[in-house]
Amino acid sequence: MTALAIRQLVPTPGGRIAGGSIMLDGEELQQFSEVQMRQVRGSRIAMIFQEPQTSLNPVLTVGDQIRETIYQHTALRNDAAPQRVLELLDAVGIPDPKRRYGEYPHQLSGYMTQRIMIAIARAAEPAGLIADEPTTALDVTIQAQVLELLKKLQQETGMAILLITHDLGVVAGMADRVAVMYAGQIVEQANREDFFAHPRHPYSEKLFASLPGDMKRGQPLAVIRGSVPPLYQTFNGCRFVERCDYAWEACHNTPPRWQESGIRCHRYDDTVAGATEARATTAASPPLTVTSPTGEPLLQLKKLKIHFPVHKGLLRRVSGYVKAVDGLSLSIQRGHTLALVGESGCGKTTAGKGLLRLLPVTGGSVEYEGHDLARLNASALRKLRSDLQIIFQDPYASMNPRMLVGDIIAEGMVAQGMVAGREQREQRVCELLAKVGLPAGSMQRYPHEFSGGQRPRICIARALSFDPQLIVCDEPTSALDVSVQAQILNLLQKLQAEMGLSYLFITHNISVVEYLAHDVAVMYLGRIVEQGSVEEVLHNPKHPYTQALLSAVPTIDAAEQREVIRLEGDMPSPLNPPSGCHFHPRCPYAFAVCREQYPQTTSLGRTHGVKCHLYDSEKA
């Protein structure tokens, strides 16, 4: 909302700028008319929106949309404008700009549409750029490319960037100064080095304590209790007071003032009684050690294949197959978490849905307790459905908006005949809500009445209603901020310890993998290229693709900032995968055999295996 206000785009009706000042090069933007603001937007302050697919016009080619900005804010016309469009497409790293010029947004991948947005923003060479969550939900390699592009453009043009993000790793790699916002106010501001060395506001401290990582394995992450207060109320004191571990009487009665040192907190205001004592207080989370039982095989995937036919022509003949999953083999241990990682489009979600038979299986087997799920008929499979559940990536979209939460959770139990009467069913729903940290009254509310951090809990309660053995978690924390993410990860870890659950955790967040997972499998173009324990794969990666993935992971530790291994080109299409090793067109170490023959698995330890010709035994 702050970013939209800068460009005079506050949603109406109802929204208005009630006070204050917005200065641009000494000019007060609030005094500009709408006609004047049209010249400011794009030519002086450009913006990259959070969701490029919904921000681009679906009925205009990307070339026309960039040219539109050029016509609006520059003097280029005729052949000069299209030529400038091609230069911009090339500058933002779009391959084959002439062909892409005439394509529509839906024909481009997610990261390419993000690059188109950057090209539009750069078209008039603005002095400032607002980037609103430009890398949210992107995998780490694509995120690294987008951030690298923004850095490059800033160096070339000298433009200022306002980067809006909840990823502290991105902040550490991009920002010169950091401002922390809470409930409509800036509560702390500092240069990057000082902020990451010593965050001062209690909210900032909690954000850092909520970050997952291998150093916190087996321990609960710090959680900010409660939720952000509604902003329609009048605040008598600090807006963070109900969630703060340091709060005292002054925090409840007096709003903290903004101090020249760059903080809004009574603890650092010596004119407030009790400030010195509050600084000496150490906030502590209740200790809790979480352990998992030793695993034994629960479910095994052997050469699983999921191919989708491609139909062409008037008669809709099959012209080929999209090999989304192509010979995938995995073993998930009882009571353990297996993380499945890889770039977007590599087949992770398809594999998760395939093992549950939510998608048709083309070949291979899914072995569970003596049954091959890939070959069971509908009746036999239905009896095992309760053991194998899924938490979808978008919890809100996976719930019926017209059903009460209590009915959503109970629906599966009714279908499986697990509870007899209404009273017993409601009691079971209340128990499940309590288990995931929601009040019993939640069962009488609709999904839209819950926050983004509460909806995944409802989906977890629905999955637990069957007393499952395995839950497929499909990116359950991808769009959550770190404090809400910590709540969900703590809950999943606690449930695993109490119930012996196994998880297939599909994600592109490596820090979550370090914290939660026991084993890791790295997927590329429908196949596993490396797998092993967390320590083996993340601390000693062998496959060039795994090395590139890990190099692109942003970190908040300046001493750990590392050079990103940039992968050339895009992931090939699963409709027409490369011959030999699928990774060889992008691999910096590829040699002749890589182009001719797909590598077999080379064992590097008891559980560590890699598919790469660099480690073939006969070539070692």
Side-chain angles (χ1 to χ4, degrees):
M1 195 58 64
T2 302
L4 292 174
I6 293 172
R7 286 165 47 101
Q8 305 287 298
L9 294 175
V10 175
T12 56
R16 64 186 179 90
I17 299 175
S21 174
I22 304 172
M23 303 294 293
L24 175 64
D25 283 338
E27 296 180 280
E28 175 56 68
L29 291 185
Q30 292 196 71
Q31 297 178 357
F32 279 31
S33 67
E34 177 59 24
V35 174
Q36 290 174 305
M37 282 305 302
R38 287 176 191 164
Q39 295 304 314
V40 171
R41 301 181 195 121
S43 63
R44 299 177 68 183
I45 304 176
M47 186 166 182
I48 303 171
F49 293 93
Q50 183 170 351
E51 297 182 2
Q53 282 286 7
T54 58
S55 303
L56 294 172
N57 192 327
V59 299
L60 291 179
T61 66
V62 295
D64 286 343
Q65 295 187 59
I66 300 172
R67 187 176 61 178
E68 186 178 44
T69 304
I70 294 172
Y71 279 174
Q72 178 70 26
H73 297 295
T74 74
L76 296 178
R77 296 293 184 273
N78 301 324
D79 293 340
Q83 183 59 38
R84 174 61 176 157
V85 173
L86 295 177
E87 291 173 1
L88 288 167
L89 290 174
D90 183 65
V92 298
I94 297 291
D96 196 0
K98 288 185 178 180
R99 180 168 66 90
R100 299 296 186 185
Y101 185 108
E103 292 187 344
Y104 292 87
H106 73 272
Q107 295 176 279
L108 305 178
S109 64
Y111 92 95
M112 289 185 109
T113 54
Q114 194 67 280
R115 288 171 182 260
I116 297 298
M117 289 292 297
I118 296 174
I120 293 173
R122 192 191 174 194
E125 298 185 354
L129 173 66
I130 299 172
D132 183 11
E133 298 273 11
T135 61
T136 295
L138 295 180
D139 59 66
V140 290
T141 54
I142 304 303
Q143 174 179 267
Q145 292 178 26
V146 172
L147 296 177
E148 182 183 352
L149 175 58
L150 289 175
K151 280 184 179 179
K152 178 185 174 186
L153 294 179
Q154 186 178 46
Q155 292 169 355
E156 291 175 351
T157 64
M159 67 180 175
I161 297 178
L162 173 62
L163 177 65
I164 301 170
T165 182
H166 61 247
D167 191 327
L168 291 176
V170 171
V171 174
M174 287 289 293
D176 298 299
R177 289 188 62 76
V178 183
V180 181
M181 195 169 192
Y182 182 81
Q185 290 184 332
I186 300 296
V187 296
E188 182 173 358
Q189 190 171 163
N191 64 51
R192 177 184 58 193
E193 291 77 14
D194 291 343
F195 177 73
F196 282 93
H198 182 58
R200 295 184 295 163
H201 195 278
Y203 179 56
S204 305
E205 292 177 358
K206 282 289 189 180
L207 288 180
F208 278 91
S210 299
L211 292 173
D214 60 348
M215 298 298 292
K216 300 177 182 177
R217 285 178 65 86
Q219 296 295 328
L221 298 170
V223 170
I224 307 176
R225 64 178 180 269
S227 58
V228 178
L231 300 184
Y232 53 75
Q233 63 179 299
T234 299
F235 293 95
N236 297 318
C238 175
R239 301 186 178 195
F240 190 62
V241 63
E242 300 298 335
R243 311 176 75 189
C244 183
D245 295 320
Y246 305 96
W248 72 100
E249 184 179 359
C251 302
H252 290 272
N253 302 327
T254 308
R257 64 186 180 90
W258 179 256
Q259 300 172 61
E260 291 185 1
S261 61
I263 193 166
R264 190 189 303 272
C265 181
H266 286 318
R267 292 173 66 214
Y268 297 91
D269 188 347
D270 291 331
T271 65
V272 177
T276 304
E277 292 81 358
R279 282 200 294 271
T281 302
T282 301
S285 299
L288 174 65
T289 302
V290 181
T291 58
S292 285
T294 303
E296 58 185 41
L298 173 71
L299 183 140
Q300 290 182 303
L301 281 63
K302 295 182 179 179
K303 298 182 179 180
L304 181 68
K305 295 183 179 181
I306 302 175
H307 297 174
F308 299 99
V310 177
H311 301 277
K312 283 188 177 181
L314 184 64
L315 300 179
R316 310 297 293 162
R317 290 193 175 95
V318 176
S319 62
Y321 289 89
V322 175
K323 299 176 181 178
V325 177
D326 193 28
L328 182 143
S329 296
L330 288 175
S331 178
I332 303 175
Q333 306 297 310
R334 190 179 299 275
H336 276 204
T337 300
L338 171 66
L340 189 58
V341 303
E343 290 176 287
S344 298
C346 71
K348 303 188 298 294
T349 296
T350 303
K353 291 181 177 179
L355 72 88
L356 297 175
R357 286 282 301 276
L358 298 179
L359 292 173
V361 174
T362 307
S365 63
V366 181
E367 297 179 4
Y368 171 71
E369 293 192 342
H371 303 280
D372 184 357
L373 302 182
R375 288 171 174 77
L376 287 181
N377 59 38
S379 176
L381 182 63
R382 185 182 181 88
K383 296 177 182 178
L384 296 175
R385 284 285 186 202
S386 60
D387 287 356
L388 309 168
Q389 291 297 304
I390 184 170
I391 301 169
F392 292 98
Q393 182 171 357
D394 188 340
Y396 187 56
S398 69
M399 292 185 283
N400 189 329
R402 295 184 177 88
M403 290 178 65
L404 295 170
V405 162
D407 295 331
I408 290 173
I409 295 173
E411 184 179 24
M413 292 189 287
V414 173
Q416 290 282 359
M418 298 177 65
V419 288
R422 181 181 182 85
E423 185 177 338
Q424 184 182 358
R425 185 165 65 246
E426 290 184 353
Q427 181 180 353
R428 174 63 174 156
V429 170
C430 288
E431 292 173 357
L432 291 167
L433 288 170
K435 192 178 285 289
V436 299
L438 290 175
S442 300
M443 61 191 296
Q444 299 299 324
R445 295 161 62 189
Y446 290 94
H448 74 270
E449 298 180 81
F450 293 85
S451 69
Q454 291 173 319
R455 287 171 189 157
R457 293 172 179 264
I458 298 170
C459 293
I460 293 171
R462 178 172 59 183
L464 293 176
S465 67
F466 297 90
D467 292 325
Q469 298 295 312
L470 170 73
I471 300 179
V472 176
C473 305
D474 186 10
E475 301 269 13
T477 63
S478 62
L480 302 179
D481 62 65
V482 291
S483 59
V484 178
Q485 174 183 266
Q487 296 175 18
I488 301 305
L489 294 179
N490 283 349
L491 176 59
L492 290 174
Q493 194 174 59
K494 177 173 177 286
L495 293 172
Q496 186 175 60
E498 292 176 351
M499 304 172 64
L501 294 172
S502 299
Y503 298 131
L504 175 62
F505 202 92
I506 298 169
T507 184
H508 58 248
N509 190 329
I510 301 300
S511 61
V512 170
V513 174
E514 289 180 320
Y515 173 72
L516 189 67
H518 300 88
D519 305 299
V520 185
V522 182
M523 195 170 183
Y524 185 81
L525 206 64
R527 297 181 179 182
I528 300 300
V529 296
E530 184 169 3
Q531 60 182 314
S533 68
V534 167
E535 293 76 15
E536 290 169 334
V537 176
L538 299 189
H539 297 167
N540 187 27
K542 294 299 184 181
H543 198 281
Y545 178 60
T546 310
Q547 294 169 356
L549 275 183
L550 297 182
S551 74
V553 177
T555 174
I556 64 171
D557 189 346
E560 290 186 21
Q561 295 291 341
R562 49 193 175 266
E563 183 180 355
V564 176
I565 301 174
R566 175 155 187 166
L567 298 176
E568 296 300 326
D570 300 323
M571 183 184 296
S573 169
L575 177 62
N576 186 27
S579 60
C581 175
H582 291 170
F583 186 62
H584 86 258
R586 307 173 72 191
C587 182
Y589 308 108
F591 49 101
V593 70
C594 301
R595 301 175 181 88
E596 301 166 359
Q597 181 181 337
Y598 196 87
Q600 299 298 312
T601 300
T602 299
S603 178
L604 304 175
R606 189 176 63 86
T607 58
H608 194 185
V610 64
K611 291 183 178 179
C612 181
H613 288 301
L614 293 172
Y615 305 97
D616 283 352
S617 57
E618 62 268 22
K619 299 179 179 64

